[in-house]
Amino acid sequence: MAHVVIYTTKICPYCVRAKMLLQKKGVAFQEIDVSNDHEQRMKLVEITRQRTVPQIFINDRHIGGCDDLYALERQGALDPLLAQ
C-alpha cells in the first residue's frame, strides 16, 4: 500500500473531504496539522508552492489538493497510485 501524507488545518472543509475519500478507500494516511505550526506551513509552501490545504503526497509525490485528489479518482488514476 502507498505511503500517503496529507497536510491539513483544523477548520478546512476540503481537508475533511479529502480524508473522507481516503478513508472510504481504506487508505491509511499520515495527517500533519499545520494549523498552529508556522514553520511547518512555510516548509510546505516551499515544497509545493501552494498556500492552501490540504496538500497531499502519495509515495513522496505531490499530487495537489482535494480537487486534484478527486480528479484522479474520476480519471481512474487514484487506485493505481495507491496500489504502489
Side-chain angles (χ1 to χ4, degrees):
M1 185 64 68
H3 179 248
V4 179
V5 177
I6 180 169
Y7 289 82
T8 65
T9 61
K10 287 179 177 53
I11 59 168
C12 170
Y14 295 102
C15 298
V16 172
R17 195 165 165 245
K19 291 187 294 184
M20 284 176 51
L21 177 58
L22 293 171
Q23 289 166 344
K24 177 182 164 191
K25 293 189 156 291
V27 175
F29 55 87
Q30 176 186 1
E31 181 177 2
I32 300 173
D33 184 346
V34 296
S35 298
N36 297 314
D37 190 338
H38 181 73
E39 185 176 310
Q40 186 71 20
R41 184 85 179 237
M42 290 300 101
K43 180 180 171 188
L44 181 62
V45 170
E46 285 178 27
I47 294 167
T48 65
R49 305 287 188 240
Q50 302 293 319
R51 293 190 145 311
T52 60
V53 288
Q55 291 300 318
I56 305 159
F57 293 80
I58 299 176
N59 293 327
D60 297 322
R61 176 180 162 204
H62 180 236
I63 62 145
C66 182
D67 291 341
D68 302 305
L69 182 69
Y70 274 85
L72 287 171
E73 173 70 358
R74 282 190 304 276
Q75 297 164 4
L78 183 56
D79 287 339
L81 281 176
L82 295 173
Q84 296 177 0

